Amino acid sequence: MKIVVNPKYSYLRSWIEQIPSFFEEEGRVVYRARNLLKVFTLESGMDVNVKKYKTPCLLNRIVYSFFRKTKASRAYCNTIKIIEKGFDAAEAIAYIEIKRNGLFSDGYFISLQCHQVKEIREYCAGPLSGNENLIDEFTRYSAKMHDAGIYHLDYSPGNILICNSDGKYAFILVDVNRMKFMPVSFDAGCRNFSRLFVDDEIYKRIGLIYSQSRKNTFTKEEVILLIIKYKNRFFKKRACKKQIKSLFMKFHV
């Protein structure tokens, strides 16, 4: 078993080492699907998130054993990079990798629980009216992040948390194992918003603010059209996938 602990939380090592032995029976379930996310409250009162990733198929067990970093490792390293660049993420405490028969089997990522936050999901369907300040701040935040060379490959409604303090918004990234740290082109930046909202009025606002926040050669009208194009493409593709899955399930009942 490989365990890497953030030096700031070295005092938690003995508890972290025991996580695989009690994870299934203890803790409060926050999310259960492909992966399992639980919250544990320590004796000090600290709330800690522990995410156990689904055991990969045999091929990916080989890949993660010899050729690629595991999701747990990437989540830990990416969180540290994001914070080093001046942006917020759920602070990394540690990660665990377990091998069975010489191959990677299970991974855990441990982080601080974020309190008094909302998911941006709550605003995905709109309306824009009354939420202009939030959308403007989020767009400027995204532009700064892109300028800093941070590109979240799963920039989706559940992976962006919002803190609101006296009308001032701050944003926290979660589920960061799929990231790229690279120069982010203006086109790629526009595409990054595609899965977040469904209301075109919100996208028009995003296009306006994004065009003002990053250096580019496009007019604001062109930026708005580009962002809406990527949004429509994403939702059309998702609808097609759902239709194909529905047909597949129908013929395999």
Side-chain angles (χ1 to χ4, degrees):
M1 182 166 66
K2 177 182 178 181
I3 299 177
V4 174
V5 181
N6 185 334
K8 181 178 176 180
Y9 297 99
S10 58
Y11 64 94
L12 293 177
R13 175 172 281 276
S14 61
W15 180 80
I16 293 166
E17 290 173 348
Q18 300 174 57
I19 286 174
S21 67
F22 63 69
F23 180 80
E24 297 298 334
E25 290 75 29
E26 299 179 20
R28 176 171 59 87
V29 175
V30 175
Y31 179 81
R32 185 194 297 271
R34 181 174 53 185
N35 307 311
L36 178 57
L37 179 64
K38 288 187 172 184
V39 173
F40 294 83
T41 301
L42 307 187
E43 290 182 0
S44 63
M46 178 190 297
D47 288 333
V48 174
N49 278 326
V50 180
K51 183 174 188 178
K52 181 183 181 183
Y53 295 93
K54 179 182 177 182
T55 302
C57 65
L58 178 59
L59 176 60
N60 283 338
R61 289 181 66 192
I62 295 170
V63 170
Y64 288 138
S65 297
F66 304 109
F67 304 108
R68 191 181 183 195
K69 288 184 177 180
T70 65
K71 291 181 179 180
S73 171
R74 282 182 275 141
Y76 177 87
C77 295
N78 289 347
T79 297
I80 291 173
K81 285 184 182 179
I82 291 166
I83 293 173
E84 285 177 346
K85 285 178 173 286
F87 296 83
D88 288 329
E91 191 168 10
I93 294 175
Y95 73 90
I96 301 171
E97 295 175 347
I98 298 174
K99 286 187 176 182
R100 292 188 174 89
N101 300 319
L103 294 179
F104 171 77
S105 175
D106 297 309
Y108 299 80
F109 172 58
I110 302 96
S111 62
L112 282 183
Q113 168 75 350
C114 299
H115 292 289
Q116 297 181 328
V117 295
K118 294 181 178 181
E119 292 182 352
I120 205 167
R121 183 192 310 277
E122 296 186 28
Y123 302 91
C124 287
L128 172 63
S129 179
N131 294 311
E132 291 90 349
N133 188 40
L134 168 64
I135 297 302
D136 291 357
E137 289 304 308
F138 171 67
T139 305
R140 293 188 186 102
Y141 160 84
S142 300
K144 289 178 182 177
M145 190 171 65
H146 292 159
D147 281 339
I150 301 173
Y151 198 72
H152 199 320
L153 293 171
D154 194 7
Y155 210 43
S156 57
N159 293 339
I160 303 158
L161 306 181
I162 305 168
C163 297
N164 183 357
S165 178
D166 297 324
K168 295 182 179 179
Y169 295 99
F171 303 92
I172 302 171
L173 298 177
V174 296
D175 203 3
V176 297
N177 59 284
R178 295 180 62 237
M179 304 284 296
K180 283 188 176 180
F181 297 91
M182 62 177 193
V184 180
S185 69
F186 193 81
D187 182 83
C190 290
R191 189 167 61 248
N192 210 197
F193 294 100
S194 63
R195 63 176 66 185
L196 286 168
F197 303 98
V198 296
D199 187 343
D200 279 358
E201 291 304 309
I202 292 179
Y203 278 104
K204 290 176 183 177
R205 186 81 176 197
I206 288 173
L208 173 63
I209 302 301
Y210 196 69
S211 66
Q212 296 171 348
S213 301
R214 296 195 72 197
K215 293 180 180 180
N216 68 93
T217 58
F218 298 96
T219 65
K220 62 182 180 183
E221 291 80 11
E222 289 172 331
V223 175
I224 290 168
L225 289 174
L226 185 61
I227 285 179
I228 292 177
K229 180 188 78 171
Y230 284 129
K231 169 255 186 181
N232 289 338
R233 182 183 296 176
F234 170 78
F235 282 101
K236 182 178 180 181
K237 185 177 179 180
R238 189 169 74 172
C240 287
K241 283 183 177 179
K242 285 184 177 180
Q243 189 174 21
I244 292 170
K245 184 177 181 180
S246 177
L247 290 172
F248 179 81
M249 295 298 292
K250 180 179 179 180
F251 288 108
H252 283 78
V253 172

